[in-house]
Amino acid sequence: MNFQPSARQRELVVLAGDLARTQFAPRAAMYDQQASFPFENYADLRQTGLLALCIPERYGGMGADFATYCLVSEEIARSCGATALTFNMHCSTMMWIGPLADELDMSPAERQAHESRRARVYQHVLENGHLYAQPFSEGHQNRSGRLIFQCQAQRTEGGFRISGKKIFASLADAAHYFGVLARLDDDDDDGDDASSIHYLAVEANAPGVSIEGDWNPLGMRGTVSRDLVMQDCFVPEHAQLLPEGIYQQAARRWPHMFLTLAPTYLGLTQAAYDFTVDYLSGRVAGGPPSSERIAPIKQYAVAEQLIRLEAARALLYRSISEAGLDPAPEALRRAFAANRTVMETATQVTADAIRTCGGRSMLKPLPLERYYRDARCGALMQPWTADNCLERIGSSVLPAPKGTMSP
């Protein structure tokens, strides 16, 4: 397996990294303090063309594939976790309807209709700089912790009528469209049947759409993930992001599509490690004297952080290299393991970094306390929460006997 990035991947990582270091990093504390969306960062992403990172080249985009996106996301997260996390929602939408959809089974009529619809989406991004959000959470789960979608869509002339609520809707104040998963209310199920799910683009300023609730969380404050409420909102036929039945095929056959949050948290972990090294090397203003910085216990602690960081990176990169259609069971288990490992490692390394650097390091405006708070959010991120990953690995290795239910 070759884990070395290509020349094109290196080019895009350098582009994103330079932008993030020079523009995003200086603003990150402000967005965190105000719990405000990084509009200025997205203006920079538009100007550099990075909003089109995952739009195929034949449409005028940069043509980044799954692995390339992951490398870019990791690089952005080293400077601003909230920007990287919200950028994931937008880029995932572009990938799902693009190269990922191309690998899935569709009838000729479905593929023709999808081609027309996604061309419209890409045009919105390329010509108008539109952002697409991807809210998942509704607060409903089945016994194993998997999501149950209760937003309802009803067929009507020219499209759908949709009603429901999504919580933690990142980009709530910034998105032009929300990619909403909803079930048809003429399907006789309780919301736990993936075959009833439709993936629709809800326009942010459409009648019946509102953004509600306060936003004052522990971490990832710049994501502005307020509640998205839809009341009998009309969604035109051409706003189907995937043809009927294709989302559930994608979730079943291309499950690595849900691994795209992990690179953000790997980037956060790298940032915490880098800060620790700089702080203990005397390169951060206000740091401790050299007599307190360089001691065997500090050296051991930094070594432990590096080992955890590189172990998480190796597992994630291998899983990224295995992403594709119909992965083997062991590859899917490895993806769950990689996602959970990255999230838990981010929490552990950021906490260890504070302990290693000492009390001064957790004071604002130093970024380490922000890294720690942002990292705490990773294990809760849907759809692959840390606990859900454990359940899926365990049930795959030791399935419950027939006629019984998993706890």
Side-chain angles (χ1 to χ4, degrees):
M1 290 174 285
N2 180 15
F3 294 105
Q4 296 302 313
S6 67
R8 177 57 172 164
Q9 288 174 328
R10 289 194 297 270
E11 176 186 345
L12 291 173
V13 168
V14 168
L15 173 65
D18 287 347
L19 180 65
R21 281 188 297 276
T22 59
Q23 303 299 322
F24 300 174
R27 302 168 182 154
M30 176 185 67
Y31 299 133
D32 175 72
Q33 181 179 10
Q34 299 175 353
S36 60
F37 187 79
F39 285 103
E40 295 87 349
N41 292 357
Y42 275 85
D44 291 336
L45 289 168
R46 287 187 182 93
Q47 185 175 9
T48 57
L50 283 166
L51 278 192
L53 175 70
C54 295
I55 294 178
E57 290 181 332
R58 67 180 183 275
Y59 295 94
M62 291 183 167
D65 60 10
F66 181 83
T68 304
Y69 160 74
C70 290
L71 293 173
V72 169
S73 175
E74 178 188 346
E75 189 70 14
I76 292 174
R78 295 174 66 178
S79 296
C80 182
T83 298
L85 196 62
T86 49
F87 190 52
N88 165 76
M89 317 300 176
H90 174 80
C91 287
S92 290
T93 303
M94 301 302 108
M95 284 192 290
W96 288 13
I97 69 174
L100 191 153
D102 288 341
E103 296 188 43
L104 302 174
D105 293 335
M106 298 185 200
S107 70
E110 286 175 330
R111 198 164 295 282
Q112 182 179 11
H114 179 61
E115 178 64 31
S116 174
R117 293 166 186 158
R118 71 179 174 188
R120 181 189 294 266
V121 171
Y122 291 153
Q123 183 181 29
H124 287 165
V125 176
L126 291 164
E127 296 184 5
N128 303 316
H130 284 175
L131 287 175
Y132 281 74
Q134 209 177 56
F136 268 85
S137 299
E138 296 180 13
H140 308 293
Q141 298 177 336
N142 64 14
R143 288 171 59 89
S144 64
R146 303 186 189 188
L147 292 175
I148 297 175
F149 298 113
Q150 294 190 351
C151 281
Q152 293 187 341
Q154 184 177 32
R155 295 187 189 276
T156 189
E157 183 177 356
F160 304 85
R161 290 279 176 185
I162 187 170
S163 295
K165 179 180 179 179
K166 298 287 185 178
I167 62 176
F168 296 113
S170 296
L171 298 99
D173 293 345
H176 300 88
Y177 293 88
F178 295 92
V180 171
L181 293 165
R183 65 184 181 91
L184 289 183
D185 66 359
D186 55 0
D187 287 317
D188 186 18
D189 69 79
D190 61 0
D192 198 13
D193 178 12
S195 65
S196 69
I197 302 302
H198 289 246
Y199 187 32
L200 307 172
V202 176
E203 191 169 358
N205 61 3
V209 174
S210 61
I211 303 297
E212 301 181 358
D214 296 326
W215 180 246
N216 188 24
L218 170 71
M220 288 297 179
R221 293 167 57 81
T223 63
V224 188
S225 303
R226 298 167 65 201
D227 296 343
L228 170 68
V229 179
M230 298 158 287
Q231 294 288 344
D232 196 33
C233 173
F234 177 69
V235 179
E237 185 78 22
H238 64 70
Q240 292 186 75
L241 290 170
L242 289 172
E244 182 175 350
I246 300 302
Y247 166 77
Q248 54 266 29
Q249 184 190 154
R252 184 181 71 253
R253 302 186 63 198
W254 228 105
H256 288 76
M257 64 192 279
F258 300 123
L259 189 59
T260 55
L261 295 170
T264 290
Y265 288 90
L266 184 65
L268 273 175
T269 309
Q270 181 71 60
Y273 171 78
D274 291 342
F275 176 87
T276 302
V277 172
D278 287 343
Y279 189 80
L280 296 178
S281 300
R283 293 191 288 268
V284 176
S290 59
S291 59
E292 297 179 19
R293 294 195 312 261
I294 306 302
I297 193 170
K298 304 290 188 182
Q299 295 168 341
Y300 299 159
V302 169
E304 288 284 359
Q305 290 175 36
L306 181 62
I307 290 169
R308 293 189 181 102
L309 169 63
E310 293 300 342
R313 174 177 284 117
L315 183 55
L316 179 61
Y317 280 18
R318 177 170 181 186
S319 188
I320 290 169
S321 75
E322 295 172 333
L325 197 66
D326 300 327
E330 59 269 22
L332 180 54
R333 287 192 288 268
R334 198 154 33 243
F336 292 136
N339 192 73
R340 187 181 191 280
T341 298
V342 168
M343 301 307 186
E344 296 298 314
T345 298
T347 298
Q348 186 172 23
V349 168
T350 53
D352 288 349
I354 291 175
R355 185 177 64 189
T356 302
C357 292
R360 296 184 186 92
S361 70
M362 65 179 179
L363 299 176
K364 298 177 186 291
L366 296 178
L368 191 53
E369 58 86 28
R370 184 178 76 249
Y371 299 154
Y372 173 76
R373 289 185 287 104
D374 286 349
R376 298 295 301 181
C377 301
L380 307 175
M381 296 292 294
Q382 297 282 8
W384 283 8
T385 67
D387 289 345
N388 182 250
C389 288
L390 285 180
E391 186 276 331
R392 294 196 182 200
I393 294 170
S395 62
S396 172
V397 176
L398 295 174
K402 291 184 179 181
T404 65
M405 297 184 66
S406 299

